[in-house]
Amino acid sequence: MAPRSLAPPPISITPVIHTPDDGSDYDLDGGDDDNIQVDLDYALYDHKHLLTPDRDSFYDPNRLSPVAPTFQINDYSSPSNMTSNSGGLNENASPIDIPSSSNGAPNPFNFQTQVISTSPVKPNVGQRRGHKYKHSSISAQHQIFQEPPPRPPLALPRDLPIPTVKEAWKSMSKDQRRRLYWCICHGVIAISVFLSAHGSLAMTALSHLVLFDVGSALICVAVEVLGNFEVWKRSSIRHPFGLERAEVLAGFALSIFLIFGGFDLVSHNLKHVLEGKGGHSSHHPDPHEGLAPRVPPGDVDMASLAAIIATLVSAYGLRNHARISKVMRVSYLASLPSVLSNPFHFLTLSTSALMVLLPLLFVPISVLLDSTICALVAMAMFALGLRLAIAQGLMLLMSYGGRSGSGSGSPGKNKDVGVADVMREIEAEPGVERVDEAQFWQVHYGLCMANLKLSVAKGADDAALSRLRARVTSLIQNRLGEGYGKGGSLRWEVSLQLGTAGTY
Amino acid sequence: MTEKDSRRIFYFMGVNFTFMGVQAVYGYLTDSLGLLSDSIHMFFDCVALAVGLFASVMSKWPPSERFPYGFGKIETLSGFANGVFLILISLEIMFEGFERLLEGRETKRLRELFIVSTLGLVVNLLGIFAFGSHGHSHGHSHDHGHSHSHGHSHSHKDHDHDCSSHHDHNHSHGHGHAHSHGHDNENMHGIYLHILADTLGSASVIISTVLTYLIPWSGWDPLASFLIAYLILITAIPLVKSSAQRLLLTIPADTEYNLRNTLSEITNQRGVASYSVPKFWVDDGVSSEAGNRILGVIHVAAIRGADLEEVRDRVQSYLGKHGIDLTIQMEREGDTTCWD
């Protein structure tokens, strides 16, 4: 029974031949399913059976147990596997704990079978039970099994799996799903605006804007859905800040879309102008030239109206563009009411409102007006995209811009404190000799890092250092973080490396 | 190295710009629409090149208070932007091609188109040759970013470590030094792809014009542009992916493996009780020496009775041996003031 590879001396003796009759006896004693275990256990501490020359004698074709063949095959694997698998299901229920005086006992199996039958048998069917050997007398004698050396527990952060689309879909709550459906609706509206343009440049421009809104709304939903997963927020080795930075990156990609849209509109516009001027228009019938205008005067432009509604719903329902606009405040729009103060909503709403109003007011949309609107929108898109790209690019470059310079402006408010001011304040802290290194940077919309190396006065004890740490941490959070009243929360993770002067 | 890169970008931009000017003037004089619209296209190329040039120059700027880690990431950012731009362009071309295929608009003024696109092809081929040697080695930019950091972190380690890491070290050495500048290539890769896309675009126009001339069918042009757009798309996607990973501060897989080993050894340092909130990111530093250094933060708790500073020095020198430069916040075991 002992693994052959180890070849303990007794195996070669072979005094007893195991007969099928023996096996059937045990069967009668044991339960239907447990008999194999009984066999084994018996063999383990009964040397007579250990000495059986070949294991096939154990395998009795007459036995009724369905478990037998698989078990036998599985069980004779290498000893290294056994050690690795020690600590299986049945360890506590193992009958081996019974002293090996069982040699004298006439029939120890009744008792053992009972013990075994209390433990769940079914789940074990496919599993190896090699760990039993570890406790058997023979392995104890020969030191076959060695305990693994004690290791310090690995406190590594777990590697969290990135959810697949399917998992994300499953994890969505009802509310989130509704939002996704709305996004799809918004997308359909964007496409319908695009298709209803019929060569009108202004409408094409509007469709670009709406498409950008859709992209941003989709990001909003995606961020919420991914927030269901641990990998989004939890730090691991692979993703030190979770995946939240992905939102910034997606925003950056969208701003590239905005710039691209601006370029695209400009080039289309130029082409149109050139075509009109070059006198080639005879070759190229322009749909919007002369004949029927896209929307008859006095009528409501349904596509533009739908764009307005979609934008408003997204703005209120999804809080579209909320986080992005916090990064870039446009001062000259700040005085407008809530939705309009967001430059993206402002742009979409004003363009689509213009498109609705012009036919209503019986203003004919001439080629010139059309391309002027398009040019204006293109320029606005370009400028906005550039600002957005810069704001998010700075974050991706691992920097912290602070807010609008240092010290100037309204004194007494937290708002205008820059990094330099905070550094000065930290240096003014009692116990701090100087700031050796300081790195302030923004990870994503909600998190900033501050890594400082400070020189402190000699002789400070643990408690003092701990207090200093708490003070500096709260100072940074208070000065640079946003107050609770302002809606968003910008959290600062502060790490201080303290050392007495001159030890670096 | 990067200066050479930026000079190359600059020269090519000059050529592009001149060509654009010539095209625009000639197009205006001869009233040729094709020339004019191509010069608009050229202008956008120039803008992309200018962004790349800017990034290439800016990546040399030293770290400041505002940018504590320098501008190492800006080239990756520019590569990412270029990649996204290319994807958008190819999608647009596909869409337009589809539209044209449906409408069946016939291509006009074949001769003019042919001349313009041939000239464009010549200029772009010039660019391909200028960036070509670079571009080829950049086909695997993602990989050597890894292998370099790998080799770097091991090169200090192989004295006192087991043979498996030694093996790894040898393995990565072969790659690592051939392309030592793992961090500056996403920008160049992006520009290269952009020029490649333009070249393919001109080539496709030439081929489709010839085909239309031989076999009059309006579908040649959309078909060719569709094909080209697809090619651009599949070359731009890997670029976007790899640069996105770097911008997300994802630790590459093999660096992560080493980091885990290194980290689990920290608790074996004398005086260390535990550590928490380890955060690492790969530094794309200014100097090539510092490239792919690993920076980060860790909070280490020392056992009672150990001198905090001594333990910190020990941990720091241990990590330094593995090419990791951390800000180490020391705490006392059982001190609960630490966040998280």
Side-chain angles (χ1 to χ4, degrees):
Chain A
M1 277 307 288
R4 284 172 177 188
S5 57
L6 297 171
I11 283 182
S12 57
I13 298 172
T14 69
V16 168
I17 293 170
H18 188 86
T19 61
D21 294 355
D22 289 338
S24 56
D25 276 351
Y26 304 145
D27 268 2
L28 292 173
D29 289 342
D32 279 352
D33 285 316
D34 296 327
N35 53 2
I36 290 312
Q37 207 152 359
V38 173
D39 271 353
L40 244 188
D41 296 333
Y42 179 70
L44 281 174
Y45 50 81
D46 189 343
H47 264 251
K48 273 183 198 162
H49 285 274
L50 260 180
L51 300 181
T52 40
D54 59 340
R55 68 181 208 224
D56 291 334
S57 63
F58 262 102
Y59 176 52
D60 183 2
N62 292 330
R63 276 184 223 164
L64 297 171
S65 166
V67 189
T70 51
F71 182 52
Q72 291 249 339
I73 291 161
N74 280 346
D75 210 34
Y76 292 91
S77 50
S78 71
S80 67
N81 271 343
M82 294 178 190
T83 45
S84 72
N85 208 23
S86 66
L89 260 176
N90 249 357
E91 193 138 36
N92 295 331
S94 154
I96 289 156
D97 296 327
I98 294 152
S100 57
S101 65
S102 61
N103 278 349
N107 197 358
F109 307 116
N110 273 336
F111 171 61
Q112 285 158 13
T113 339
Q114 281 166 1
V115 173
I116 290 164
S117 61
T118 59
S119 66
V121 178
K122 266 253 171 86
N124 279 348
V125 169
Q127 290 178 2
R128 297 191 316 104
R129 292 174 212 182
H131 59 274
K132 291 245 162 51
Y133 293 107
K134 187 180 165 186
H135 298 286
S136 75
S137 56
I138 189 163
S139 53
Q141 281 166 23
H142 294 276
Q143 306 261 312
I144 299 165
F145 295 96
Q146 292 180 341
E147 292 286 340
R151 272 186 309 177
L154 287 179
L156 293 172
R158 276 181 304 138
D159 209 2
L160 300 162
I162 295 177
T164 58
V165 177
K166 216 174 172 183
E167 286 164 357
W169 175 257
K170 269 188 197 152
S171 79
M172 284 165 83
S173 68
K174 223 172 200 168
D175 190 41
Q176 285 166 344
R177 208 156 292 181
R178 218 176 298 135
R179 284 167 190 225
L180 182 69
Y181 292 143
W182 167 248
C183 277
I184 294 170
C185 278
H186 202 158
V188 169
I189 289 172
I191 291 171
S192 70
V193 169
F194 182 75
L195 291 180
S196 75
H198 294 302
S200 156
L201 285 171
M203 278 312 270
T204 313
L206 180 63
S207 79
H208 279 68
L209 280 176
V210 179
L211 212 59
F212 170 75
D213 284 344
V214 172
S216 177
L218 273 177
I219 289 179
C220 278
V221 172
V223 164
E224 266 186 44
V225 172
L226 285 171
N228 296 344
F229 293 91
E230 240 187 321
V231 68
W232 183 252
K233 284 226 155 92
R234 267 276 286 278
S235 161
S236 66
I237 302 271
R238 192 156 176 73
H239 304 284
F241 303 99
L243 284 179
E244 281 182 272
R245 235 168 117 82
E247 192 190 353
V248 186
L249 196 65
F252 182 76
L254 260 192
S255 69
I256 300 289
F257 171 76
L258 213 52
I259 294 175
F260 170 80
F263 269 138
D264 194 43
L265 289 178
V266 167
S267 75
H268 272 278
N269 206 353
L270 275 177
K271 254 181 223 171
H272 265 251
V273 169
L274 290 173
E275 271 172 18
K277 199 195 64 159
H280 292 296
S281 46
S282 52
H283 295 280
H284 195 303
D286 268 340
H288 60 83
E289 198 151 6
L291 305 181
R294 202 179 59 83
V295 177
D299 257 14
V300 178
D301 184 356
M302 290 312 289
S304 307
L305 202 63
I308 292 180
I309 294 166
T311 309
L312 286 175
V313 170
S314 281
Y316 285 112
L318 297 177
R319 299 181 50 69
N320 200 0
H321 301 310
R323 267 176 295 239
I324 290 176
S325 66
K326 222 168 59 189
V327 179
M328 36 175 297
R329 297 201 177 90
V330 182
S331 51
Y332 43 83
L333 290 178
S335 54
L336 291 167
S338 61
V339 176
L340 288 178
S341 71
N342 187 321
F344 304 100
H345 295 316
F346 178 78
L347 198 56
T348 315
L349 287 177
S350 56
T351 311
S352 44
L354 194 65
M355 294 310 290
V356 172
L357 283 179
L358 284 182
L360 274 182
L361 298 175
F362 297 97
V363 178
I365 302 178
S366 65
V367 179
L368 190 66
L369 183 62
D370 192 43
S371 51
T372 313
I373 294 175
C374 175
L376 280 177
V377 171
M379 256 150 61
M381 272 171 90
F382 189 73
L384 212 57
L386 209 60
R387 279 194 68 162
L388 191 61
I390 287 172
Q392 281 165 331
L394 286 180
M395 217 183 283
L396 291 172
L397 280 179
M398 305 171 80
S399 78
Y400 176 72
R403 247 159 277 134
S404 59
S406 64
S408 65
S410 50
K413 278 190 184 171
N414 296 346
K415 218 177 157 186
D416 298 312
V417 178
V419 172
D421 300 325
V422 173
M423 295 262 281
R424 264 199 301 281
E425 279 190 62
I426 291 172
E427 275 186 335
E429 282 281 328
V432 176
E433 297 216 330
R434 66 169 189 281
V435 179
D436 291 305
E437 259 181 58
Q439 286 142 355
F440 293 81
W441 60 286
Q442 186 159 12
V443 183
H444 48 76
Y445 294 125
L447 178 70
C448 288
M449 296 278 290
N451 307 325
L452 295 132
K453 296 187 180 179
L454 303 182
S455 285
V456 294
K458 268 203 169 69
D461 62 337
D462 278 4
L465 290 182
S466 179
R467 252 177 289 134
L468 175 67
R469 230 173 21 228
R471 259 205 320 276
V472 172
T473 306
S474 69
L475 186 133
I476 292 175
Q477 177 73 53
N478 288 341
R479 290 287 183 277
L480 297 177
E482 282 170 28
Y484 288 108
K486 283 167 196 159
S489 56
L490 191 60
R491 196 161 56 89
W492 278 87
E493 277 191 16
V494 183
S495 293
L496 292 178
Q497 178 172 326
L498 306 172
T500 46
T503 54
Y504 288 105
Chain B
M1 179 82 179
T2 315
E3 261 175 33
K4 216 166 113 198
D5 280 348
S6 32
R7 209 169 304 145
R8 239 185 321 196
I9 302 174
F10 183 74
Y11 289 147
F12 185 62
M13 201 173 85
V15 171
N16 233 344
F17 213 75
T18 330
F19 186 65
M20 180 194 100
V22 169
Q23 245 181 354
V25 170
Y26 192 74
Y28 185 78
L29 288 180
T30 60
D31 212 14
S32 149
L33 188 65
L35 273 178
L36 280 173
S37 68
D38 200 57
S39 73
I40 296 170
H41 180 95
M42 275 288 191
F43 174 72
F44 292 153
D45 280 356
C46 283
V47 172
L49 281 174
V51 169
L53 178 67
F54 193 55
S56 170
V57 170
M58 230 163 109
S59 68
K60 292 276 134 192
W61 290 359
S64 64
E65 186 187 87
R66 176 102 200 254
F67 298 92
Y69 299 101
F71 290 83
K73 289 255 184 298
I74 198 166
E75 287 192 299
T76 316
L77 201 64
S78 148
F80 180 80
N82 231 327
V84 171
F85 210 92
L86 281 175
I87 288 179
L88 289 174
I89 283 182
S90 62
L91 286 180
E92 202 210 356
I93 292 176
M94 277 186 180
F95 189 78
E96 273 186 1
F98 194 66
E99 212 176 33
R100 241 183 308 170
L101 205 58
L102 286 184
E103 283 180 12
R105 198 188 295 163
E106 59 179 304
T107 328
K108 293 165 292 283
R109 296 190 299 280
L110 289 180
R111 215 166 62 89
E112 186 190 299
L113 211 61
F114 186 79
I115 292 166
V116 170
S117 50
T118 311
L119 282 175
L121 183 71
V122 168
V123 171
N124 280 316
L125 275 179
L126 212 75
I128 291 273
F129 284 125
F131 292 92
S133 60
H134 209 92
H136 277 299
S137 71
H138 282 279
H140 312 282
S141 65
H142 193 48
D143 291 335
H144 33 101
H146 286 187
S147 58
H148 176 63
S149 67
H150 199 117
H152 196 77
S153 62
H154 269 300
S155 57
H156 305 287
K157 200 180 182 179
D158 59 355
H159 301 294
D160 52 0
H161 265 256
D162 54 353
C163 63
S164 71
S165 75
H166 195 83
H167 170 76
D168 275 352
H169 165 68
N170 284 342
H171 177 72
S172 70
H173 221 75
H175 296 273
H177 273 252
H179 322 278
S180 56
H181 287 261
H183 62 279
D184 65 350
N185 47 25
E186 251 122 11
N187 187 22
M188 295 302 277
H189 192 189
I191 293 176
Y192 177 71
L193 280 187
H194 201 115
I195 299 170
L196 193 69
D198 284 350
T199 315
L200 287 176
S202 318
S204 90
V205 171
I206 292 175
I207 292 169
S208 70
T209 339
V210 170
L211 279 175
T212 324
Y213 186 72
L214 294 177
I215 310 160
W217 178 50
S218 63
W220 289 122
D221 188 45
L223 209 66
S225 49
F226 211 82
L227 198 73
I228 297 301
Y230 179 70
L231 281 179
I232 298 170
L233 196 69
I234 54 172
T235 48
I237 283 175
L239 171 72
V240 169
K241 266 191 190 163
S242 74
S243 50
Q245 286 211 325
R246 296 180 92 178
L247 290 173
L248 285 179
L249 302 177
T250 304
I251 299 282
D254 43 3
T255 315
E256 182 197 2
Y257 182 78
N258 294 332
L259 264 179
R260 281 180 180 275
N261 277 345
T262 313
L263 256 186
S264 60
E265 290 282 310
I266 282 186
T267 40
N268 291 347
Q269 304 295 310
R270 200 148 45 82
V272 175
S274 66
Y275 59 86
S276 57
V277 291
K279 292 195 163 121
F280 306 98
W281 53 90
V282 179
D283 179 37
D284 303 310
V286 179
S287 62
S288 52
E289 252 52 63
N292 298 316
R293 207 167 36 131
I294 292 173
L295 299 177
V297 178
I298 196 170
H299 291 198
V300 174
I303 56 171
R304 295 190 183 283
D307 184 40
L308 286 183
E309 238 168 278
E310 218 175 279
V311 175
R312 194 202 65 216
D313 285 345
R314 205 173 296 134
V315 172
Q316 203 154 38
S317 68
Y318 165 74
L319 291 171
K321 256 191 283 179
H322 295 259
I324 303 169
D325 185 12
L326 298 186
T327 303
I328 304 171
Q329 171 162 328
M330 292 304 300
E331 279 144 15
R332 191 57 80 181
E333 190 186 9
D335 188 358
T336 52
T337 53
C338 165
W339 42 266
D340 200 349

